[in-house]
Amino acid sequence: MKTGEGKTLVATLAASLNALTGKGVHIITVNDYLASRDHASMSPIYSLLGLNTGLIQDDMAKLERKKITMPMMTGTGKTAEVEFEKIYKLSVDEVPTARPTLRKDLPDLVYKDQFLKWNAISKTCNEISSTGQPVLIGTTTIEKSEMLAELLNEYKLSYQLLNAKPENVRRESEIVAQAGNRGAITIATNMAGRGTDIILGGNSIFSLQKELYDILTLSRNYALSKGMNIFQSPLKSQFKCTSQNFLSVLLSLLKDPVFLELSDIGILRALKQNDTNSIPNLSYQRSIKFLIDELKAHYNKNQKQENQIVKNLGGLYIVGTERNDSRRVDNQLRGRCGRQGDPGTSQFFLSLDDNLLRLFGGSKVQTFFQSQMLDDSPLESEFLTRSLDSAQQKVEERAYQQRKNLFDYDEVLNKQRNVVYSERTKILNKESLQKNIIAYGEQLITDLLLEMTVKNYSTKQIISLFENLFDKHFLVNSDTKPIGFQQYLFNEFWLIYQTKINEFKVHGDGFCESMERNVSLLNIDFIWCKHLQEMSLLREAVSWRGYGQRNPLYEYKREALQAFKEQSRVVKRLIINEFLSSSVL
């Protein structure tokens, strides 16, 4: 489905069918705002189906990567089909739209320089706005959005500026939702407001909440300060909805002591919570819900009229100020208009010194364009469109290779991570780790004997090393054969280990098992953290080996495996050494 065709609502079918089988379902959105909004708006639907819903945001998520295969819906995933399939093993299937798309995607206009381009954009906005058709302008940076705002000031046009500045973030969804108002001009960075439906004629919900907030705060403050009924004042004439039911419920609300104690922020919070609170518990919440329903009837009638007027004007007009590195971002901007069968128009304004054309268009493309532009008029051609598509594909391919390279390196560490986490889980779930400790000890003895035999250590040196390791003096003949000496060390280790178990049993049942578990986990975690630091340094080091005609990824995999094997040996040695040398003070 394309952007704006109702993915959030359609996703309820797939999610509910899977959830009803008893499986958990994750519905993924692009940011925390959309996750919170969808959770609030769609929870009642899932509740009617007998399903529980929860919310996970970035600050709640675990840092470790979890590979979960699940269905997802996006309006712009077709251009990244290869990446989804090769890296994530996910197929991309197109779902036909419920209604025919009426959006007109006009050809791109290319100007000689930035000056001509921005002047053309501001002039176009002035011409379109004069007809009453709403305009949404997508910019790539905050600086460019503010520069365009200054140009629109010269035409004395009113507009809404939406970018990533803190003062605009809180009103992001409201500004974008009202971008469909007749005569509205909205300047936004391309990523701002994604996922918020732009309803032609304006979003009555935001207007309704704003008016009711003004009514409630004004009425409450007037009643508290003047000590009189607001209906006896001239302020009553400012209310748009003056039905008898509305006024009587408002009057009773102003007598509610719980409501009168609310601050302005508390009133705003109560209005916001109305969407999620299907069955209000408090009397003032029920009154607010009734007032909202009364206002809805008034606003819906006007909104339908405005919606039809804006449709007749051609719907929302999208202006792109330059092509982005990714076709997906361009498609997302185009998808702000023509949603769910609405009419709309989109057009991009470009210049020869835009980053995309300058870096990836090539000198031949630049020369061709310059020769075709004899005056200040823009250029349109099929060759132009192909060149832009080719430039975007080059950028996407480069970005894909970077992500794939990152994925390949991370996959090496992820496999090691799974081994370590699996071992930790086994340790946590086992009641006793005696078999593990014995296996670690025997493996340690075998590995050290093999290593010292290869390095031609003398028997005296071998005995000295194991005496330091087990902190015990061994009585063994220097002429003992390696196999006999290995069995002797096994027996000594078992005796030392059993002695330590008996020592800890004095302190109560389960104390020894707790000591084994704590020592094991602490050493595994310590060595794993150290291993991660070493892998980070190794990754930087192997990147230089490409200059020596060696594959950095192969070198990384080879040395990472060696480091992981060494880490395993070190962990076992530390666990044995610390447990046998531990004591209770």
Side-chain angles (χ1 to χ4, degrees):
M1 296 181 71
K2 295 183 179 180
T3 297
E5 293 294 337
K7 298 182 294 297
T8 304
L9 185 60
V10 174
T12 58
L13 177 60
S16 59
L17 288 176
N18 282 277
L20 288 171
T21 64
K23 301 177 181 178
V25 176
H26 292 258
I27 300 177
I28 299 176
T29 59
V30 298
N31 57 44
D32 284 351
Y33 163 72
L34 293 181
S36 177
R37 184 207 67 178
D38 291 350
H39 176 256
S41 61
M42 304 307 293
S43 289
I45 296 178
Y46 290 112
S47 298
L48 290 174
L49 298 173
L51 302 173
N52 296 322
T53 57
L55 175 63
I56 300 176
Q57 295 177 316
D58 282 344
D59 54 347
M60 307 176 191
K62 294 183 179 179
L63 294 178
E64 67 203 64
R65 184 182 68 179
K66 293 189 175 181
K67 298 169 74 173
I68 306 174
T69 302
M70 64 187 74
M72 295 178 287
M73 299 190 74
T74 175
T76 56
K78 196 64 178 176
T79 56
E81 182 176 12
V82 175
E83 182 172 353
F84 280 123
E85 184 175 350
K86 288 189 175 181
I87 293 184
Y88 304 103
K89 310 299 184 214
L90 296 173
S91 61
V92 177
D93 298 314
E94 276 194 283
V95 179
T97 58
R99 300 173 182 173
T101 302
L102 302 181
R103 185 182 71 231
K104 298 177 182 177
D105 295 327
L106 300 180
D108 299 341
L109 300 178
V110 179
Y111 293 83
K112 277 187 177 181
D113 52 41
Q114 294 281 337
F115 177 79
L116 294 174
K117 181 184 79 171
W118 289 105
N119 277 337
I121 292 173
S122 58
K123 183 179 178 181
T124 301
C125 291
N126 183 45
E127 293 173 352
I128 296 172
S129 179
S130 64
T131 67
Q133 186 175 3
V135 182
L136 174 63
I137 310 162
T139 62
T140 54
T141 64
I142 295 176
E143 293 75 19
K144 290 179 180 178
S145 66
E146 292 178 340
M147 180 188 69
L148 179 58
E150 292 297 326
L151 291 175
L152 295 184
N153 286 334
E154 295 181 4
Y155 286 96
K156 297 181 180 179
L157 296 174
S158 61
Y159 56 83
Q160 290 285 352
L161 181 60
L162 176 59
N163 50 37
K165 285 194 171 182
E167 59 266 26
N168 295 325
V169 171
R170 292 184 179 180
R171 297 184 60 235
E172 174 179 336
S173 58
E174 178 184 351
I175 292 174
V176 174
Q178 301 295 13
N181 275 327
R182 191 187 345 167
I185 298 178
T186 308
I187 306 172
T189 51
N190 289 335
M191 301 301 289
R194 289 193 306 168
T196 303
D197 275 339
I198 298 178
I199 300 174
L200 300 183
N203 191 318
S204 60
I205 298 299
F206 285 94
S207 301
L208 181 153
Q209 289 182 343
K210 184 178 185 303
E211 181 178 348
L212 187 56
Y213 171 77
D214 292 339
I215 291 175
L216 294 178
T217 53
L218 183 64
S219 302
R220 187 210 58 184
N221 295 337
Y222 191 87
L224 292 177
S225 61
K226 301 291 185 179
M228 62 182 292
N229 192 333
I230 193 172
F231 302 114
Q232 301 172 357
S233 72
L235 294 176
K236 176 185 173 183
S237 60
Q238 299 181 13
F239 298 166
K240 292 182 180 179
C241 183
T242 57
S243 68
Q244 187 61 39
N245 290 338
F246 182 89
L247 296 176
S248 61
V249 172
L250 178 58
L251 180 61
S252 65
L253 183 61
L254 294 175
K255 297 178 180 178
D256 190 325
V258 179
F259 172 76
L260 294 176
E261 291 179 1
L262 292 177
S263 63
D264 290 355
I265 296 178
I267 294 175
L268 181 61
R269 186 180 295 112
L271 290 172
K272 296 291 185 183
Q273 291 175 347
N274 176 74
D275 295 333
T276 59
N277 193 4
S278 57
I279 305 177
N281 296 322
L282 302 177
S283 61
Y284 82 85
Q285 291 177 337
R286 290 191 289 271
S287 298
I288 289 176
K289 187 173 183 61
F290 179 85
L291 295 177
I292 290 176
D293 292 337
E294 283 289 306
L295 280 177
K296 275 183 180 179
H298 172 75
Y299 269 91
N300 287 342
K301 181 179 179 180
N302 294 335
Q303 203 280 330
K304 288 180 180 179
Q305 295 175 352
E306 286 294 314
N307 180 269
Q308 191 58 48
I309 291 173
V310 175
K311 283 183 177 180
N312 294 337
L313 291 171
L316 183 64
Y317 197 105
I318 297 292
V319 174
T321 56
E322 67 179 271
R323 287 286 195 103
N324 290 272
D325 292 345
S326 170
R327 288 171 293 173
R328 292 193 69 187
V329 180
D330 288 345
N331 291 338
Q332 286 166 356
L333 179 59
R334 292 186 193 274
R336 308 305 299 154
C337 71
R339 300 171 77 87
Q340 302 188 33
D342 287 341
T345 306
S346 70
Q347 188 167 39
F348 279 78
F349 290 71
L350 315 173
S351 70
L352 291 182
D353 47 2
D354 283 348
N355 287 335
L356 188 67
L357 280 172
R358 181 168 50 86
L359 298 176
F360 296 94
S363 58
K364 291 183 179 179
V365 174
Q366 294 279 337
T367 303
F368 173 80
F369 286 159
Q370 291 287 358
S371 64
Q372 296 295 316
M373 293 180 172
L374 302 178
D375 51 23
D376 295 342
S377 60
L379 177 67
E380 297 180 47
S381 71
E382 293 183 2
F383 176 74
L384 163 66
T385 303
R386 288 197 301 269
S387 298
L388 292 171
D389 290 341
S390 176
Q392 284 184 310
Q393 287 178 3
K394 289 179 182 178
V395 179
E396 289 174 355
E397 288 172 4
R398 185 181 66 175
Y400 164 67
Q401 289 299 329
Q402 291 173 345
R403 289 192 294 270
K404 185 176 184 301
N405 191 50
L406 177 65
F407 181 85
D408 290 339
Y409 277 94
D410 187 60
E411 189 67 14
V412 176
L413 204 56
N414 191 57
K415 290 179 179 178
Q416 297 180 357
R417 183 184 294 111
N418 290 337
V419 174
V420 173
Y421 284 13
S422 175
E423 184 66 21
R424 290 186 87 261
T425 301
K426 291 178 181 178
I427 291 173
L428 288 169
N429 293 334
K430 281 187 177 180
E431 294 184 3
S432 174
L433 298 178
Q434 289 188 10
K435 291 183 179 179
N436 292 53
I437 301 296
I438 292 174
Y440 292 165
E442 293 177 349
Q443 185 65 45
L444 176 62
I445 292 171
T446 303
D447 290 344
L448 287 176
L449 280 176
L450 181 60
E451 180 182 342
M452 290 184 288
T453 302
V454 172
K455 294 182 179 180
N456 294 320
Y457 277 42
S458 65
T459 305
K460 186 176 182 181
Q461 289 176 312
I462 296 174
I463 294 173
S464 177
L465 186 145
F466 279 102
E467 285 179 341
N468 292 331
L469 179 63
F470 294 129
D471 193 23
K472 182 179 180 180
H473 179 66
F474 293 145
L475 299 174
V476 60
N477 191 337
S478 59
D479 296 331
T480 304
K481 294 182 179 180
I483 296 178
F485 187 47
Q486 181 186 37
Q487 188 60 48
Y488 172 80
L489 290 174
F490 281 175
N491 293 334
E492 289 295 327
F493 167 70
W494 295 335
L495 290 173
I496 296 171
Y497 178 54
Q498 189 60 49
T499 302
K500 184 61 65 175
I501 292 175
N502 295 334
E503 177 186 335
F504 286 145
K505 281 186 176 180
V506 176
H507 299 281
D509 295 337
F511 183 83
C512 180
E513 289 78 4
S514 178
M515 281 291 297
E516 291 173 339
R517 184 173 292 104
N518 290 336
V519 168
S520 299
L521 293 175
L522 286 172
N523 282 285
I524 289 175
D525 293 347
F526 173 75
I527 296 300
W528 175 244
C529 291
K530 186 178 179 181
H531 178 72
L532 292 177
Q533 295 174 351
E534 293 175 353
M535 290 301 97
S536 179
L537 296 174
L538 174 62
R539 183 171 173 181
E540 294 180 8
V542 297
S543 62
W544 296 97
R545 300 183 189 178
Y547 294 103
Q549 306 302 316
R550 296 161 72 181
N551 188 330
L553 180 59
Y554 173 78
E555 294 288 314
Y556 179 79
K557 288 181 177 180
R558 182 175 59 82
E559 296 195 20
L561 179 59
Q562 294 175 354
F564 188 68
K565 290 180 178 179
E566 180 60 26
Q567 171 207 280
S568 179
R569 288 194 291 268
V570 171
V571 166
K572 293 175 182 177
R573 183 167 182 172
L574 284 175
I575 291 174
I576 295 299
N577 188 45
E578 287 197 17
F579 181 76
L580 296 183
S581 61
S582 60
S583 59
V584 180
L585 299 178

